[in-house]
Amino acid sequence: NPDIETAYLGEAYYYLGQCYLKLGQKSEATASLREAVRLLWKINLTDYYKTLALSEYSNILRAAGRGYEADLMLNEATKTRRITLLY
C-alpha cells in the first residue's frame, strides 16, 4: 500500500529531524521535519505523527524568525486539514 509506505517514510523523517535537533543541527532538523510534514500531510493516515511533525516544524520556524510562516501553516492545517509549505 503506497499510503502506508509514505507514512513510514514520513515517520522516519520525523525521527531523523528529532535526532538532528538533539545534536543541535537545526538546518538539518528543519529539512527533515519539513519533509516529514510534506509526506505525512499528503496521505490520510498517522494523525499522531502529522501533529507531532507539524508542531516541531512550526517551532523550528519560529526559532528561525519565521513565525508568520508557521502561523499561516498552522491556521491552514486547523481550518482545512491541509497545509501549504511556503519554502
Side-chain angles (χ1 to χ4, degrees):
N1 183 337
D3 281 350
I4 292 173
E5 291 171 8
T6 301
Y8 284 135
L9 187 57
E11 290 172 20
Y13 272 105
Y14 169 77
Y15 284 117
L16 181 61
Q18 291 299 303
C19 291
Y20 282 133
L21 279 177
K22 298 284 184 195
L23 294 170
Q25 299 177 5
K26 291 183 181 177
S27 63
E28 290 86 354
T30 301
S32 294
L33 289 168
R34 182 187 191 287
E35 186 64 9
V37 168
R38 187 187 72 76
L39 289 167
L40 292 170
W41 279 80
K42 75 182 210 178
I43 58 173
N44 289 324
L45 300 171
T46 66
D47 281 341
Y48 176 74
Y49 285 103
K50 278 182 183 181
T51 303
L52 284 178
L54 187 60
S55 176
E56 289 291 339
Y57 184 56
S58 67
N59 289 340
I60 286 177
L61 290 176
R62 286 185 205 297
R66 294 166 57 188
Y68 179 74
E69 181 183 345
D71 290 342
L72 286 176
M73 186 177 58
L74 290 172
N75 286 336
E76 182 182 11
T78 301
K79 291 178 184 175
T80 66
R81 302 278 301 149
R82 296 195 175 287
I83 60 162
T84 302
L85 296 170
L86 299 180
Y87 294 95

